Amino acid sequence: MTDSASLELQQLARNVLEAEARAISSAAQRLDKRLVEAAELILRHKGKVVVSGMGKSGLIGQKIAATLSSTGTPAVFLHPAEALHGDLGIYQKGDPTILLSKSGSTLELLHLLPLLRQFKSPVIAIVGQMESPLAEKADVVLDGTVQCEADPLNLAPTTSTTLSLAIGDALACVLMQARNFKPEDFARFHPGGQLGRNLLLRVADIMHRKEEVATISPETPLHEVVIAITKYAHGAACVVQDGKLVGIITDGDLRRALQSGEGIRGMRADALMTKNPI
């Protein structure tokens, strides 16, 4: 690939990011009380939220449902086609539904609407056409309008799906604030991975208790220190005096003492230990 061709593609990628950023910025300026109304509608219900959409909108819906669930608002994704063949059984009376559609006229979603009314389900629509059948029939409509898609053909769902995802994030964050969702709550839903370790792991979870480690006094002869470290196999011994930790001796300390060439016969723990260890 020539340098000019490479630069042209870099510019195309930059244009995509800028176009999507402009769409989100424009939506932020248009945002009004309807997003808060959507949050209040969800907050009034004690059960779950159901999120649905077709195609790429459905994939965005899955992420929105996952974000809601992990931030204190139980949510599930429902494929609209499967809903018409038995999966409506996930509904309980009053479960709010979030429907995503760029056109606002997705047939599978329109077919769902009268069925959702039977479950007394209030409908929140995130649509790219504010004058559309879905917008007209929803209880709350969130504006996902974009001027164009970011791809070179203005066909692939790019800007529109990014904006829908951002609106879903905004709704989730409003709900977090309204529920007074705290880091401890987040940790409870994210016990695995680095997030869980950062928020949940305590000293007590990884430490060795007193009876499980080598414990010696400052006066302990060096050969007994070696025996104690070997017995407990943690690579170190705690030097304790009057019930308090006053030092530590590690395998490395022993090796360095031997390498120093100084006589170690008769050496005691207090001559080798690191004082006041952290």
Side-chain angles (χ1 to χ4, degrees):
M1 183 180 296
T2 65
D3 289 344
S4 60
S6 177
L7 288 173
E8 183 179 350
L9 293 177
Q10 288 179 43
Q11 186 58 50
L12 172 60
R14 189 174 293 112
N15 291 343
V16 170
L17 296 180
E18 291 174 348
E20 296 192 353
R22 285 195 299 271
I24 293 176
S25 179
S26 177
Q29 298 303 314
R30 298 194 306 269
L31 190 141
D32 56 23
K33 64 179 183 179
R34 285 176 292 186
L35 190 133
V36 176
E37 291 173 352
E40 290 174 339
L41 185 153
I42 292 171
L43 289 167
R44 286 195 295 269
H45 181 63
K46 300 301 182 183
K48 64 184 175 297
V49 174
V50 179
V51 186
S52 189
M54 280 295 293
K56 305 301 186 294
S57 291
L59 296 174
I60 296 300
Q62 291 180 50
K63 196 277 180 183
I64 291 174
T67 298
L68 289 171
S69 290
S70 68
T71 54
T73 301
V76 296
F77 176 77
L78 173 66
H79 193 288
E82 299 297 335
L84 302 175
H85 294 275
D87 284 4
L88 282 171
I90 68 169
Y91 270 96
Q92 292 179 308
K93 184 177 179 180
D95 284 346
T97 302
I98 300 174
L99 300 179
L100 292 89
S101 172
K102 178 187 177 183
S103 67
S105 57
T106 306
L107 286 177
E108 291 85 353
L109 298 183
L110 294 176
H111 291 161
L112 266 183
L113 283 173
L115 303 173
L116 297 180
R117 298 308 181 196
Q118 296 178 21
F119 290 99
K120 308 294 183 185
S121 173
V123 174
I124 301 164
I126 302 176
V127 296
Q129 296 288 339
M130 295 300 284
E131 306 244 342
S132 63
L134 191 55
E136 291 174 3
K137 296 178 181 179
D139 297 289
V140 180
V141 183
L142 303 180
D143 188 355
T145 303
V146 298
Q147 290 187 345
C148 62
E149 298 290 2
D151 74 288
L153 302 177
N154 188 26
L155 292 174
T158 48
T159 307
S160 59
T161 48
T162 298
L163 179 55
S164 294
L165 180 59
I167 292 172
D169 287 342
L171 180 59
C173 290
V174 168
L175 289 166
M176 286 176 68
Q177 180 78 8
R179 296 184 190 280
N180 195 27
F181 194 78
K182 298 182 181 300
E184 301 80 43
D185 302 313
F186 192 85
R188 197 166 63 250
F189 298 146
H190 298 76
Q194 190 60 48
L195 285 174
R197 286 191 292 273
N198 290 346
L199 293 167
L200 286 178
L201 194 63
R202 303 169 303 166
V203 171
D205 296 324
I206 61 173
M207 75 179 191
H208 297 288
R209 301 186 181 279
K210 180 180 178 181
E211 61 272 15
E212 300 171 336
V213 299
T215 302
I216 57 178
S217 70
E219 298 79 20
T220 302
L222 188 58
H223 73 277
E224 292 184 21
V225 173
V226 174
I227 292 171
I229 291 178
T230 303
K231 177 180 178 181
Y232 287 92
H234 293 314
C238 296
V239 185
V240 177
Q241 187 173 41
D242 298 328
K244 295 182 180 180
L245 181 69
V246 296
I248 189 169
I249 299 177
T250 68
D251 281 340
D253 294 327
L254 295 173
R255 287 195 299 272
R256 284 185 288 274
L258 291 170
Q259 290 174 343
S260 69
E262 299 178 3
I264 61 173
R265 184 182 297 276
M267 185 179 289
R268 304 190 319 177
D270 54 4
L272 191 61
M273 71 183 187
T274 298
K275 296 180 180 180
N276 303 315
I278 297 174

